[in-house]
């Protein structure tokens, strides 16, 4: 995995790559490019490549409004899972969240993402909330690192 590159999405091409991974993995919350650009103002969005091949992305939402909770989400495309890429993205996001002053770490997983729920639980997260957006049939699960 020596040719793994994880970079902050700081131009439209990388934001489109981030969007592609996000929307494929979270089809019930597909984002437009404008929405992704807006998110990039608030959150750290990163994209992962193996060589030139897009393999995943991540989101680190820093603590806001005096709270100490940050959100870290790793996403790996299905064809590239179970090679340790998720671990690398997650550990990097966790370190960034801590550097941003996070005391508590949360992650959010679409309930149908069995791999994501298993990964979060394996990494010590416990479910604290569930949210079903109006009109959706699959809830989002919020999990927290105790
Ligand atoms: C969660 C997610 C990012 C994990 O990605 P991944 O690249 O498969 O993660 P890893 O490869 O690091 O670990 C997954 C499993 O593969 C195993 N693995 C890692 N390297 C391996 C290798 N070389 N050979 C075989 N298995 C391996 C890990 O031990 C782990 O096993 P486990 O499920 O029994 O604990 C991915 O499933 C995903 O994108 N899910 C949807 C998004 C999501 O819900 N994200 C929230 C989680 S923060």
């Amino acid at each position: 995995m020596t040719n793994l590159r994880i970079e902050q999405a700081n131009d439209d091409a990388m934001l489109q790559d981030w969007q592609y991974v996000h929307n494929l993995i979270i089809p019930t919350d597909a984002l437009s490019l404008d929405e992704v650009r807006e998110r990039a103002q608030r959150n750290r969005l990163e994209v992962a490549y193996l060589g030139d091949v897009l393999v995943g992305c991540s989101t680190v939402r820093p603590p806001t409004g005096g709270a100490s909770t940050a959100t870290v989400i790793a996403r790996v495309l299905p064809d590239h899972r179970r090679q340790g890429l998720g671990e690398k993205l997650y550990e990097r996001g966790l370190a960034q969240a801590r550097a941003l002053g996070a005391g508590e770490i949360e992650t959010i997983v679409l309930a149908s993402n069995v791999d994501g729920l298993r990964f979060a639980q394996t990494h010590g997260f416990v479910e604290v909330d569930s949210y079903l957006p109006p009109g959706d049939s699959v809830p989002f699960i919020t999990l927290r690192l105790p």
Side-chain angles (χ1 to χ4, degrees), residues 25-26 72-77 80-88 90 107-110 113 115-120 122:
I25 291 176
I26 322 283
V72 176
I73 306 172
R75 306 179 194 90
V76 173
L77 290 171
H80 299 281
R81 289 183 187 168
R82 303 196 70 83
Q83 303 173 39
L85 298 172
E87 182 75 30
K88 290 228 166 17
Y90 167 70
T107 193
I108 301 171
V109 181
L110 191 61
N113 276 335
D115 288 348
L117 281 175
R118 180 185 160 108
F119 183 91
T122 301

Side-chain angles (χ1 to χ4, degrees), residues 11-62:
D11 63 25
D12 266 3
M14 294 175 84
L15 289 171
Q16 279 172 340
D17 284 346
W18 187 96
Q19 177 193 27
Y20 174 82
V21 177
H22 176 277
N23 290 356
L24 190 120
I25 291 176
I26 322 283
T28 60
D29 183 32
L31 300 175
S32 70
L33 186 56
D34 275 346
E35 288 172 317
V36 175
R37 289 191 188 110
E38 189 273 327
R39 268 190 202 203
Q41 305 300 311
R42 294 183 279 119
N43 301 336
R44 186 176 179 97
L45 307 186
E46 294 199 327
V47 193
Y49 303 91
L50 267 184
D52 291 331
V53 177
L54 175 65
V55 292
C57 77
S58 66
T59 298
V60 175
R61 188 182 302 156

